PDB file of all heavy atoms in Angstrom:
ATOM      1  N   TRP B 212     -17.062  12.376 -12.328  1.00 94.00           N
ATOM      2  CA  TRP B 212     -16.093  13.466 -12.465  1.00 94.00           C
ATOM      3  C   TRP B 212     -15.849  13.844 -13.926  1.00 94.00           C
ATOM      4  O   TRP B 212     -15.693  15.031 -14.256  1.00 94.00           O
ATOM      5  CB  TRP B 212     -14.784  13.094 -11.772  1.00 94.00           C
ATOM      6  CG  TRP B 212     -13.796  14.227 -11.766  1.00 94.00           C
ATOM      7  CD1 TRP B 212     -12.629  14.314 -12.464  1.00 94.00           C
ATOM      8  CD2 TRP B 212     -13.912  15.459 -11.025  1.00 94.00           C
ATOM      9  NE1 TRP B 212     -12.004  15.513 -12.212  1.00 94.00           N
ATOM     10  CE2 TRP B 212     -12.780  16.231 -11.329  1.00 94.00           C
ATOM     11  CE3 TRP B 212     -14.865  15.975 -10.139  1.00 94.00           C
ATOM     12  CZ2 TRP B 212     -12.565  17.492 -10.773  1.00 94.00           C
ATOM     13  CZ3 TRP B 212     -14.649  17.232  -9.594  1.00 94.00           C
ATOM     14  CH2 TRP B 212     -13.518  17.976  -9.919  1.00 94.00           C
ATOM     15  N   ASP B 213     -15.815  12.874 -14.813  1.00 92.00           N
ATOM     16  CA  ASP B 213     -15.600  13.159 -16.240  1.00 92.00           C
ATOM     17  C   ASP B 213     -16.604  14.193 -16.740  1.00 92.00           C
ATOM     18  O   ASP B 213     -16.268  15.112 -17.488  1.00 92.00           O
ATOM     19  CB  ASP B 213     -15.771  11.885 -17.078  1.00 92.00           C
ATOM     20  CG  ASP B 213     -14.600  10.934 -16.908  1.00 92.00           C
ATOM     21  OD1 ASP B 213     -13.614  11.334 -16.274  1.00 92.00           O
ATOM     22  OD2 ASP B 213     -14.693   9.788 -17.405  1.00 92.00           O
ATOM     23  N   GLU B 214     -17.841  13.997 -16.291  1.00 94.00           N
ATOM     24  CA  GLU B 214     -18.930  14.853 -16.718  1.00 94.00           C
ATOM     25  C   GLU B 214     -18.825  16.233 -16.057  1.00 94.00           C
ATOM     26  O   GLU B 214     -18.917  17.272 -16.730  1.00 94.00           O
ATOM     27  CB  GLU B 214     -20.219  14.154 -16.265  1.00 94.00           C
ATOM     28  CG  GLU B 214     -21.492  14.582 -16.880  1.00 94.00           C
ATOM     29  CD  GLU B 214     -22.643  13.764 -16.258  1.00 94.00           C
ATOM     30  OE1 GLU B 214     -22.452  12.565 -15.934  1.00 94.00           O
ATOM     31  OE2 GLU B 214     -23.713  14.352 -16.051  1.00 94.00           O
ATOM     32  N   LEU B 215     -18.602  16.230 -14.726  1.00 94.00           N
ATOM     33  CA  LEU B 215     -18.532  17.487 -13.983  1.00 94.00           C
ATOM     34  C   LEU B 215     -17.350  18.345 -14.433  1.00 94.00           C
ATOM     35  O   LEU B 215     -17.485  19.544 -14.633  1.00 94.00           O
ATOM     36  CB  LEU B 215     -18.405  17.206 -12.479  1.00 94.00           C
ATOM     37  CG  LEU B 215     -19.637  16.621 -11.799  1.00 94.00           C
ATOM     38  CD1 LEU B 215     -19.294  16.186 -10.383  1.00 94.00           C
ATOM     39  CD2 LEU B 215     -20.771  17.642 -11.785  1.00 94.00           C
ATOM     40  N   SER B 216     -16.194  17.700 -14.597  1.00 91.00           N
ATOM     41  CA  SER B 216     -15.000  18.483 -14.926  1.00 91.00           C
ATOM     42  C   SER B 216     -15.150  19.102 -16.312  1.00 91.00           C
ATOM     43  O   SER B 216     -14.713  20.216 -16.546  1.00 91.00           O
ATOM     44  CB  SER B 216     -13.740  17.627 -14.831  1.00 91.00           C
ATOM     45  OG  SER B 216     -13.840  16.503 -15.659  1.00 91.00           O
ATOM     46  N   GLU B 217     -15.818  18.383 -17.217  1.00 92.00           N
ATOM     47  CA  GLU B 217     -16.029  18.947 -18.547  1.00 92.00           C
ATOM     48  C   GLU B 217     -17.003  20.117 -18.482  1.00 92.00           C
ATOM     49  O   GLU B 217     -16.760  21.181 -19.045  1.00 92.00           O
ATOM     50  CB  GLU B 217     -16.558  17.872 -19.500  1.00 92.00           C
ATOM     51  CG  GLU B 217     -16.418  18.315 -20.950  1.00 92.00           C
ATOM     52  CD  GLU B 217     -17.016  17.311 -21.920  1.00 92.00           C
ATOM     53  OE1 GLU B 217     -17.028  16.105 -21.611  1.00 92.00           O
ATOM     54  OE2 GLU B 217     -17.476  17.764 -22.979  1.00 92.00           O
ATOM     55  N   GLU B 218     -18.065  19.915 -17.744  1.00 93.00           N
ATOM     56  CA  GLU B 218     -19.076  20.971 -17.657  1.00 93.00           C
ATOM     57  C   GLU B 218     -18.520  22.255 -17.048  1.00 93.00           C
ATOM     58  O   GLU B 218     -18.791  23.354 -17.511  1.00 93.00           O
ATOM     59  CB  GLU B 218     -20.273  20.487 -16.834  1.00 93.00           C
ATOM     60  CG  GLU B 218     -21.347  21.569 -16.686  1.00 93.00           C
ATOM     61  CD  GLU B 218     -22.535  21.093 -15.862  1.00 93.00           C
ATOM     62  OE1 GLU B 218     -22.858  19.893 -15.932  1.00 93.00           O
ATOM     63  OE2 GLU B 218     -23.114  21.935 -15.147  1.00 93.00           O
ATOM     64  N   TYR B 219     -17.682  22.100 -15.989  1.00 92.00           N
ATOM     65  CA  TYR B 219     -17.181  23.288 -15.297  1.00 92.00           C
ATOM     66  C   TYR B 219     -15.821  23.762 -15.827  1.00 92.00           C
ATOM     67  O   TYR B 219     -15.251  24.717 -15.315  1.00 92.00           O
ATOM     68  CB  TYR B 219     -17.087  23.014 -13.791  1.00 92.00           C
ATOM     69  CG  TYR B 219     -18.448  22.952 -13.114  1.00 92.00           C
ATOM     70  CD1 TYR B 219     -19.150  21.753 -13.032  1.00 92.00           C
ATOM     71  CD2 TYR B 219     -19.028  24.094 -12.573  1.00 92.00           C
ATOM     72  CE1 TYR B 219     -20.390  21.695 -12.411  1.00 92.00           C
ATOM     73  CE2 TYR B 219     -20.265  24.045 -11.963  1.00 92.00           C
ATOM     74  CZ  TYR B 219     -20.952  22.842 -11.884  1.00 92.00           C
ATOM     75  OH  TYR B 219     -22.168  22.801 -11.275  1.00 92.00           O
ATOM     76  N   GLY B 220     -15.292  23.051 -16.812  1.00 90.00           N
ATOM     77  CA  GLY B 220     -14.019  23.478 -17.400  1.00 90.00           C
ATOM     78  C   GLY B 220     -12.825  23.284 -16.476  1.00 90.00           C
ATOM     79  O   GLY B 220     -11.861  24.047 -16.517  1.00 90.00           O
ATOM     80  N   VAL B 221     -12.867  22.244 -15.638  1.00 87.00           N
ATOM     81  CA  VAL B 221     -11.765  21.958 -14.722  1.00 87.00           C
ATOM     82  C   VAL B 221     -10.862  20.910 -15.367  1.00 87.00           C
ATOM     83  O   VAL B 221     -11.361  19.934 -15.930  1.00 87.00           O
ATOM     84  CB  VAL B 221     -12.328  21.417 -13.385  1.00 87.00           C
ATOM     85  CG1 VAL B 221     -11.235  20.935 -12.474  1.00 87.00           C
ATOM     86  CG2 VAL B 221     -13.144  22.509 -12.700  1.00 87.00           C
ATOM     87  N   ASP B 222      -9.530  21.120 -15.314  1.00 79.00           N
ATOM     88  CA  ASP B 222      -8.695  20.157 -16.034  1.00 79.00           C
ATOM     89  C   ASP B 222      -8.047  19.090 -15.148  1.00 79.00           C
ATOM     90  O   ASP B 222      -7.327  18.237 -15.645  1.00 79.00           O
ATOM     91  CB  ASP B 222      -7.663  20.855 -16.929  1.00 79.00           C
ATOM     92  CG  ASP B 222      -6.850  21.878 -16.161  1.00 79.00           C
ATOM     93  OD1 ASP B 222      -6.881  21.825 -14.917  1.00 79.00           O
ATOM     94  OD2 ASP B 222      -6.195  22.716 -16.807  1.00 79.00           O
ATOM     95  N   ASN B 223      -8.291  19.119 -13.838  1.00 78.00           N
ATOM     96  CA  ASN B 223      -7.775  18.035 -12.999  1.00 78.00           C
ATOM     97  C   ASN B 223      -8.430  16.706 -13.404  1.00 78.00           C
ATOM     98  O   ASN B 223      -9.647  16.600 -13.403  1.00 78.00           O
ATOM     99  CB  ASN B 223      -8.097  18.357 -11.528  1.00 78.00           C
ATOM    100  CG  ASN B 223      -7.389  17.406 -10.589  1.00 78.00           C
ATOM    101  OD1 ASN B 223      -6.992  16.312 -10.995  1.00 78.00           O
ATOM    102  ND2 ASN B 223      -7.236  17.788  -9.343  1.00 78.00           N
ATOM    103  N   PRO B 224      -7.626  15.694 -13.776  1.00 78.00           N
ATOM    104  CA  PRO B 224      -8.219  14.438 -14.245  1.00 78.00           C
ATOM    105  C   PRO B 224      -8.904  13.628 -13.139  1.00 78.00           C
ATOM    106  O   PRO B 224      -9.703  12.744 -13.430  1.00 78.00           O
ATOM    107  CB  PRO B 224      -7.030  13.668 -14.814  1.00 78.00           C
ATOM    108  CG  PRO B 224      -5.836  14.232 -14.132  1.00 78.00           C
ATOM    109  CD  PRO B 224      -6.163  15.671 -13.823  1.00 78.00           C
ATOM    110  N   ASP B 225      -8.566  13.914 -11.859  1.00 83.00           N
ATOM    111  CA  ASP B 225      -9.132  13.123 -10.762  1.00 83.00           C
ATOM    112  C   ASP B 225     -10.081  13.956  -9.910  1.00 83.00           C
ATOM    113  O   ASP B 225      -9.827  15.132  -9.675  1.00 83.00           O
ATOM    114  CB  ASP B 225      -8.012  12.609  -9.844  1.00 83.00           C
ATOM    115  CG  ASP B 225      -7.108  11.637 -10.555  1.00 83.00           C
ATOM    116  OD1 ASP B 225      -7.627  10.815 -11.321  1.00 83.00           O
ATOM    117  OD2 ASP B 225      -5.882  11.708 -10.337  1.00 83.00           O
TER     118      ASP B 225
END
Side-chain angles (χ1 to χ4, degrees):
Chain B
W212 186 250
D213 287 352
E214 197 181 325
L215 290 171
S216 56
E217 196 184 330
E218 179 180 327
Y219 288 89
V221 172
D222 52 16
N223 190 339
D225 295 320

